[in-house]
Amino acid sequence: MHPSEYGQLISVTGVWVQIGGTALLLPLFFLLTRRTGVRPFARRWAWAWLAMQAALLLVALRYLVAPALFLNDAVVHGSWLVLLHGAYLFAKLSHFVLLLAGVWLFCRGNEEVNLPLFWFAGAVVTSALAAVGTIDLNPVLGVQEPLAMLYYALCAALLFQLPAARRTPGTRFTGWVFVCLMILWTVYAAAYWAGLSQLSWVNPALLLITRYNSFFDTAGSLLLAFGMVVILLEDAWSENEAIRLDRLRAVAESEERLKAVLETATDAIVAADAAGRVALFNAGAERTFGRQREATIGRPLAELFVPAAAVEVGHRLDLVRRAAPAQPSLFEVTGLHTTGYRIPLEVAASAQPMADGALDILILRDLTERRRSEADRAQLQARLAQSARTESLGRLVSGVAHELNNPLAAILTYSEQLLTEAPRGDTAGPLVTIRDQARRARAIVRDLLTFVRRREERREAAEFGELLDRTIRALTADLERQSVHLELEIAPDLPTVQCDATAIEQVITNLIDNAARATPGGRVRVTVQPVEDRIRFVVEDDGPGIPTEHLRRIFEPFFTTRGTGEGTGLGLSVSLGIMQQHGGTLEAENLPSGRGARFVASLPVHSTGEARDRIPQRVTPAAGLAAGGRVVIIDDEAPVRDSLRRYFERQGWQVDEAADGSAGLALLLAADAGPSLDLILCDLKMPGLSGREVYQRLREARPELLTRLVFASGDTASPDTAAFLSLSGRPVLEKPFELRELVAVIGRLRGRMPLVG
């Protein structure tokens, strides 16, 4: 056989060996790709071997068709070979690109590899080769040699630059295989260029490698594929190991969380085995029963209860075990503390099937505080009911007083005037009787008012912290039912105050209850701290806040935003009256955040005497009235106006009168109402414009006239009236008043002692 034919036979045989080896690699890689999950780098490598198989098939086709083609037209045959060689070069370049892409994805974890750009470059190279044109395979191999060296070098560099944590036997082995392949293709290049240069001393040394290159390529491909398979299996094992460790950590964390829940639970959690002995005893159970866990584990479960309760627990557990499916049983029993104290317990019992029998699980809640809170709440509700009845009685008495005091005022004023005008003997006696009976009726009305005030203003020394704690404990159950979270920020060592404890408890209850109702399922924050000589009590909620149109009326009696039957509208009004009767304040505002409302109560720390000094003072009697004054009388009761006008005119005063607030305000705002005005005597409750509104209009338009303003009213006991009078600071004459009281207040306003008339 001719040597050239022998060399061609070796080359063809080597190509078919490569095709067979690559054919074995293709299903292996595609199978591993499917079995090991989605791994982009493995898919790139599988396609790389597919491209290699295509290139080898093209080479085999070239060997098969080349002898026949040489027998025909060389130009035509040559063009077919050029196209065949170009397709081979493109497939081989795709193999290199896909190998590099797979290594890049494995090392960098980045799928943003622009493979079309690489293939475009390959297409350009192939087109250039086609343009040159050759029917010999060696120049084609000469073109791909530097490309193979470049890609193999890049792949090896990427694998050797992996961080230490990712360096494995597979990556090291594959990296060295890439280095060996780079060296092998360097030898191919040297042999090719030596052949071109006719360096005969080099050719014999490289002849063996170049002649058997297909076998070397097959060995290199198998080694490279082996390394890639190892990398793929190592990566899958690493991923599975990471998943396994994550699961182990999750289980450990779950066990730690379960342990933390058991140990931090406020309820007692106890488990008993099939023999009825304690197998689990958490920290809550230690607190509830006063027993140590180590000493309790293994002891009979019945020791935790009084005898009758132990029988009940055993019966309930039997029922739970027989239930299918198991349903928890809820009941109440009496537990036994180590000190002998009996503990009311709420029990939730269930049974958990286990391999060695059922495990009885009991969740026990100490009801001591709940029972105490319910008792305190019942007591507080009784106090609130009593306070509400007292408030209703006070309003009734105030209304009756207002209706009786107006006619009594006219009767008393007329009788006193007539007695001072030297009546005849036969009329003096009846006038004295009329005056005395009017005074008697006034005394009866004032006794009723005094009775109401005494019930509302009863003062005693009280620790504000204890009072607050008692009230909040009584409200705890209601707040829990409404799912309201109560946050407390209470300063330590709150001072002692002189107050009506029941009334202050009512204020605290009203404010917290209103806040809770405004934010069901939300948060209520209570802050209590001493500020100078006062105690500041703040209640905030995270509800929708108070509409602007309601904010100015929030303390009006009978004003409510709740539905029918849900409120009387007296809570905040009564609370304001109580605070003001104690010399304190109560204000409402929306939070700056725009969501939620805030009520701020301020209670002075002082003695009972100091507290009473803050109530608007009543005038003391005096006699006589200096002449030459001017008075404006505003009252809707004509007899009262007539009696007062007659008295002032007989004392030499100029009198202007008005039958309602609007007419009176018009008189006061007239141009001639000025410094010569000595007295404005205004009723508080009138149809239309009330005395309170007259005061507010004057404060805006003619504030200088407020120094001459005196209120007259038959109703000064109601909380809203008392609150207004306290805030205004103006003197008040309680109807029916005597002329001596009227003279005294006029003297105080005119800044001199009254003269005897």
Side-chain angles (χ1 to χ4, degrees):
M1 180 180 293
H2 192 275
S4 61
E5 294 177 354
Y6 176 74
Q8 185 176 4
L9 177 62
I10 293 175
S11 298
V12 171
T13 303
V15 169
W16 285 107
V17 169
Q18 274 190 281
I19 291 173
T22 307
L24 294 176
L25 294 178
L26 281 175
L28 174 64
F29 266 91
F30 280 103
L31 179 63
L32 288 175
T33 301
R34 292 177 60 86
R35 299 293 294 178
T36 57
V38 179
R39 282 178 170 76
F41 69 89
R43 287 203 304 268
R44 300 297 191 277
W45 287 344
W47 285 101
W49 293 114
L50 182 62
M52 172 63 82
Q53 183 75 338
L56 293 173
L57 290 174
L58 289 170
V59 171
L61 179 63
R62 187 264 184 200
Y63 282 119
L64 290 174
V65 302
L69 292 175
F70 281 125
L71 298 177
N72 299 313
D73 188 355
V75 176
V76 176
H77 299 161
S79 63
W80 279 102
L81 281 177
V82 168
L83 293 176
L84 192 65
H85 292 165
Y88 162 77
L89 185 59
F90 182 75
K92 203 63 176 292
L93 179 63
S94 298
H95 170 72
F96 295 143
V97 170
L98 288 166
L99 282 180
L100 178 59
V103 174
W104 178 277
L105 290 175
F106 173 74
C107 297
R108 302 297 176 88
N110 183 8
E111 294 195 55
E112 298 299 327
V113 179
N114 198 349
L115 295 181
L117 180 62
F118 285 98
W119 274 315
F120 177 75
V124 172
V125 173
T126 305
S127 300
L129 178 64
V132 173
T134 177
I135 61 175
D136 188 6
L137 184 60
N138 288 330
V140 177
L141 297 176
V143 172
Q144 71 173 344
E145 285 163 357
L147 296 175
M149 294 162 53
L150 173 63
Y151 281 108
Y152 287 147
L154 291 174
C155 290
L158 287 172
L159 289 174
F160 287 138
Q161 289 179 359
L162 282 172
R166 296 191 62 195
R167 292 177 190 171
T168 63
T171 60
R172 293 189 182 95
F173 177 82
T174 307
W176 284 113
V177 171
F178 276 122
V179 171
C180 293
L181 289 173
M182 179 189 69
I183 295 173
L184 181 63
W185 281 84
T186 303
V187 173
Y188 291 161
Y192 173 73
W193 292 107
L196 292 179
S197 303
Q198 300 298 320
L199 298 177
S200 58
W201 61 272
V202 178
N203 287 341
L206 302 178
L207 180 61
L208 180 65
I209 296 177
T210 55
R211 175 168 294 179
Y212 295 97
N213 69 303
S214 295
F215 297 97
F216 285 110
D217 289 344
T218 302
S221 298
L222 292 175
L223 290 174
L224 183 61
F226 175 77
M228 291 178 175
V229 169
V230 173
I231 289 177
L232 184 59
L233 294 177
E234 285 176 341
D235 190 69
W237 179 87
S238 177
E239 181 180 347
N240 292 333
E241 184 67 11
I243 293 173
R244 187 182 68 84
L245 292 177
D246 288 341
R247 288 176 179 173
L248 289 176
R249 280 192 291 268
V251 170
E253 291 174 359
S254 177
E255 291 177 351
E256 289 297 325
R257 284 195 294 269
L258 178 59
K259 182 179 179 181
V261 169
L262 290 176
E263 292 305 313
T264 58
T266 57
D267 293 338
I269 301 177
V270 180
D273 57 19
R277 297 187 176 275
V278 176
L280 173 67
F281 202 75
N282 75 332
E286 289 184 321
R287 292 190 297 269
T288 300
F289 294 99
R291 295 170 176 263
Q292 294 297 321
R293 181 180 315 175
E294 294 77 8
T296 308
I297 297 294
R299 302 293 302 173
L301 178 65
E303 291 183 357
L304 302 179
F305 307 97
V306 298
V311 174
E312 175 69 14
V313 170
H315 174 67
R316 295 280 187 158
L317 289 175
D318 288 339
L319 294 177
V320 169
R321 295 189 201 102
R322 290 196 296 268
Q327 295 292 331
S329 177
L330 300 176
F331 55 96
E332 293 185 8
V333 295
T334 303
L336 192 61
H337 197 271
T338 52
T339 59
Y341 170 73
R342 292 172 174 258
I343 315 166
L345 296 172
E346 181 183 65
V347 183
S350 59
Q352 180 66 37
M354 306 292 289
D356 55 350
L359 185 67
D360 298 326
I361 301 174
L362 294 90
I363 301 177
L364 308 102
R365 176 168 296 176
D366 189 349
L367 299 179
T368 303
E369 286 299 322
R370 183 190 296 180
R371 298 279 173 82
R372 184 182 296 117
S373 297
E374 288 175 353
D376 291 343
R377 183 164 58 90
Q379 184 179 7
L380 180 60
Q381 287 177 341
R383 290 183 180 179
L384 289 175
Q386 179 62 31
S387 178
R389 287 193 293 269
T390 302
E391 178 66 22
S392 299
L393 178 60
R395 292 190 175 277
L396 176 62
V397 170
S398 297
V400 172
H402 179 265
E403 295 302 321
L404 290 178
N405 283 334
N406 277 316
L408 286 175
I411 295 171
L412 189 57
T413 302
Y414 272 126
S415 62
E416 286 191 325
Q417 291 183 53
L418 292 175
L419 283 174
T420 59
E421 295 173 0
R424 299 191 306 271
D426 57 344
T427 60
L431 286 175
V432 170
T433 301
I434 293 173
R435 183 195 63 185
D436 292 343
Q437 293 304 310
R439 288 178 174 175
R440 179 184 177 187
R442 181 186 65 175
I444 293 173
V445 173
R446 288 187 175 178
D447 285 344
L448 289 173
L449 294 175
T450 303
F451 170 75
V452 174
R453 292 193 192 111
R454 184 180 299 117
R455 294 292 300 275
E456 292 179 349
E457 298 181 1
R458 183 179 57 206
R459 308 290 175 87
E460 59 185 1
E463 293 290 337
F464 193 86
E466 296 179 0
L467 185 151
L468 183 65
D469 180 69
R470 183 168 63 246
T471 306
I472 290 177
R473 279 195 289 110
L475 290 170
T476 301
D478 288 335
L479 295 177
E480 290 178 351
R481 280 196 294 271
Q482 299 177 66
S483 300
V484 173
H485 177 63
L486 182 64
E487 297 180 3
L488 300 176
E489 185 177 338
I490 302 175
D493 301 327
L494 292 175
T496 301
V497 294
Q498 291 286 340
C499 67
D500 183 343
T502 301
I504 298 302
E505 287 177 0
Q506 182 179 359
V507 173
I508 298 172
T509 301
N510 284 340
L511 296 182
I512 296 179
D513 181 68
N514 282 346
R517 290 177 182 271
T519 175
R523 178 182 63 90
V524 174
R525 180 180 178 85
V526 176
T527 305
V528 184
Q529 58 185 353
V531 179
E532 297 181 354
D533 61 341
R534 289 176 171 264
I535 292 178
R536 191 169 184 265
F537 177 83
V538 181
V539 179
E540 298 177 351
D541 63 71
D542 56 1
I546 306 173
T548 305
E549 63 271 21
H550 294 163
L551 191 58
R552 60 185 179 84
R553 302 185 58 194
I554 198 69
F555 293 109
E556 288 185 14
F558 302 106
F559 175 77
T560 179
T561 58
R562 300 180 190 172
T564 303
E566 296 182 359
T568 63
L570 292 174
L572 291 177
S573 175
V574 170
S575 298
L576 176 63
I578 291 172
M579 294 303 297
Q580 290 173 339
Q581 288 172 6
H582 284 76
T585 60
L586 178 59
E587 300 174 344
E589 61 183 3
N590 285 317
L591 294 176
S593 63
R595 181 168 182 82
R598 175 191 294 140
F599 285 81
V600 181
S602 176
L603 184 68
V605 180
H606 47 51
S607 65
T608 305
E610 291 173 334
R612 295 188 183 280
D613 289 342
R614 303 180 72 90
I615 300 174
Q617 297 182 0
R618 307 299 184 239
V619 297
T620 56
L625 180 65
R630 181 185 172 201
V631 60
V632 174
I633 303 171
I634 307 173
D635 200 305
D636 61 318
E637 294 284 341
V640 175
R641 294 198 311 274
D642 293 342
S643 63
L644 290 173
R645 176 176 50 77
R646 184 177 186 276
Y647 171 72
F648 280 110
E649 287 179 346
R650 289 179 177 266
Q651 299 296 323
W653 280 53
Q654 178 184 345
V655 179
D656 294 317
E657 58 180 290
D660 54 47
S662 299
L665 184 64
L667 283 174
L668 296 175
L669 297 180
D672 59 346
S676 62
L677 185 60
D678 293 277
L679 176 65
I680 304 170
L681 192 59
C682 182
D683 191 14
L684 267 178
K685 292 190 175 181
M686 295 178 290
L689 204 65
S690 67
R692 181 182 305 185
E693 293 170 313
V694 170
Y695 168 83
Q696 292 171 347
R697 300 285 183 85
L698 286 179
R699 186 175 60 180
E700 296 171 358
R702 300 290 297 275
E704 71 277 6
L705 296 182
L706 294 180
T707 59
R708 296 292 182 256
L709 180 61
V710 175
F711 289 112
S713 177
D715 176 20
T716 60
S718 60
D720 54 334
T721 301
F724 169 71
L725 293 175
S726 176
L727 290 175
S728 69
R730 302 311 305 150
V732 59
L733 289 168
E734 294 188 48
K735 293 180 180 180
F737 53 84
E738 298 186 20
L739 295 177
R740 294 168 58 85
E741 297 175 278
L742 177 62
V743 171
V745 75
I746 293 174
R748 292 174 58 190
L749 290 179
R750 301 183 77 178
R752 62 177 184 271
M753 293 299 294
L755 302 175
V756 179

